[in-house]
Amino acid sequence: MKFTVLTLFPEIPRAFFEASIMAKAVEKGIIAYDLVNIRDFAFDRHKTCDDKPYGGGAGQLLLPEPLGRALDSVKAYKKHVVYVTPSGKPFTQSKAVELSRKEELVLICGRYEGIDQRIIDEYVDEEISIGDYVMSSGEVAATVIIDSVYRLIDGVITPESLDEESYSGGLLEYPQYTHPAVYKGMEVPQVLTEGNHELIRKWRLKKRLQKTLANRPDLISSARLKGQLTPEAEKMIEELTDQSFKKHEPKKRRRDRKPSVSSGENNHGSD
């Protein structure tokens, strides 16, 4: 798979492509990339790539001509073009899986107030947002998408690593532990040390459900609609929900009891 990134600051994504697992994937030929500097396609000697928006308002917009020429140089009309923007559709794991099936992705990194709408109308296949917040760097946002997508390509990481991580099967990932067995008085759960794979599987499933119920209950509803939850998982959810209800159920108030008085005594002393 190939990633083509159009940017004003190619040094930002370059560091990502040249480090860690990505660097190994590039070395093996599994991943290819091209970093296109939009400034190389500017007309003037100052390499101007932005200007004030029509209609007034704060900030600058990327000029359509240099960006359009950059897109033409990579034959973007034959490829899948993504513009990373806060006003795009939310980026999800299912979208990462979908994008991982493309032969090549062209990502446009916005800056300032964004890009001219005519570039979106002419070249962009989809607009994607990585979250409900605004960043100054389209390069960082594009790198988030690239990182989520490339790891799904065959040969980048082992398939087993993808099977039970967060969002696989519609659930969040279970807690993980490594050596030492005791850290600051906290022990690794015993079930993980006894080698019973079936008990470990059940423990992990229960922990995934427990964490998803606590942090992202909406994912449980979504998994049900998609038929991703097994009868075993549903039973565990019922047990976890019941336990949570009992834990937070208000304690019954005891009836007020009058202090008992022994025969021959009263509370006011003797006459």
Side-chain angles (χ1 to χ4, degrees):
M1 182 178 190
K2 183 177 181 180
F3 295 97
T4 298
V5 183
L6 277 66
T7 170
L8 292 176
F9 301 93
E11 61 273 15
I12 297 176
R14 180 176 290 114
F16 174 74
F17 282 105
E18 294 179 352
S20 190
I21 299 173
M22 173 60 91
K24 294 178 182 178
V26 171
E27 185 179 347
K28 292 177 182 177
I30 301 171
I31 300 297
Y33 71 95
D34 186 16
L35 304 178
V36 179
N37 193 333
I38 301 169
R39 293 189 190 280
D40 293 341
F41 298 88
F43 292 103
D44 65 336
R45 62 188 182 89
H46 298 293
K47 302 294 183 182
T48 304
C49 288
D50 61 286
D51 204 346
K52 295 178 181 179
Y54 276 110
Q60 301 280 100
L61 283 178
L62 290 186
L63 292 165
E65 287 132 324
L67 183 51
R69 292 175 67 196
L71 286 160
D72 288 339
S73 75
V74 299
K75 296 182 172 57
Y77 53 88
K78 294 183 178 180
K79 299 160 187 176
H80 193 76
V81 180
V82 173
Y83 171 43
V84 188
T85 168
S87 60
K89 293 181 179 179
F91 185 58
T92 63
Q93 185 66 18
S94 60
K95 174 56 69 174
V97 172
E98 180 186 327
L99 294 178
S100 71
R101 298 184 180 127
K102 305 289 184 184
E103 289 186 10
E104 181 172 352
L105 289 181
V106 176
L107 295 104
I108 302 174
C109 301
R111 277 276 169 172
Y112 318 121
E113 292 300 309
I115 67 177
D116 192 293
Q117 181 63 38
R118 290 167 292 185
I119 290 292
I120 298 173
D121 295 341
E122 179 70 17
Y123 293 95
V124 174
D125 293 297
E126 59 181 324
E127 299 174 72
I128 294 179
S129 168
I130 64 168
D132 295 340
Y133 49 87
V134 178
M135 302 173 65
S136 61
S137 172
E139 290 77 18
V140 173
T143 302
V144 168
I145 293 175
I146 294 168
D147 187 81
S148 298
V149 171
Y150 94 98
R151 61 193 302 279
L152 300 173
I153 307 299
D154 289 342
V156 174
I157 60 178
T158 59
E160 292 80 7
S161 297
L162 303 174
D163 288 343
E164 294 184 342
E165 64 183 5
S166 289
Y167 304 108
S168 65
L171 303 174
L172 301 180
E173 190 175 17
Y174 50 78
Q176 298 272 25
Y177 299 85
T178 187
H179 296 91
V182 180
Y183 171 69
K184 292 189 175 182
M186 296 177 286
E187 296 183 6
V188 173
Q190 188 174 350
V191 65
L192 301 178
T193 66
E194 294 177 339
N196 188 320
H197 297 294
E198 178 60 13
L199 289 181
I200 291 173
R201 182 194 67 79
K202 289 183 177 180
W203 180 88
R204 285 176 170 171
L205 175 58
K206 187 173 183 179
K207 288 298 182 181
R208 294 187 77 190
L209 292 165
Q210 190 175 38
K211 190 168 189 176
T212 307
L213 284 167
N215 294 352
R216 291 290 305 276
D218 58 298
L219 293 179
I220 296 290
S221 301
S222 178
R224 279 177 172 153
L225 289 173
K226 296 176 182 177
Q228 294 176 305
L229 297 181
T230 63
E232 179 186 34
E234 290 286 7
K235 185 177 180 181
M236 287 183 180
I237 290 173
E238 186 178 345
E239 293 171 354
L240 288 166
T241 305
D242 187 52
Q243 290 171 8
S244 178
F245 175 77
K246 288 179 179 178
K247 182 179 179 181
H248 295 94
E249 186 180 13
K251 293 181 179 179
K252 293 180 180 179
R253 296 180 63 184
R254 295 180 179 180
R255 293 181 179 179
D256 293 334
R257 296 180 180 177
K258 293 181 179 180
S260 59
V261 180
S262 302
S263 60
E265 297 179 359
N266 61 58
N267 293 333
H268 302 285
S270 56
D271 294 336

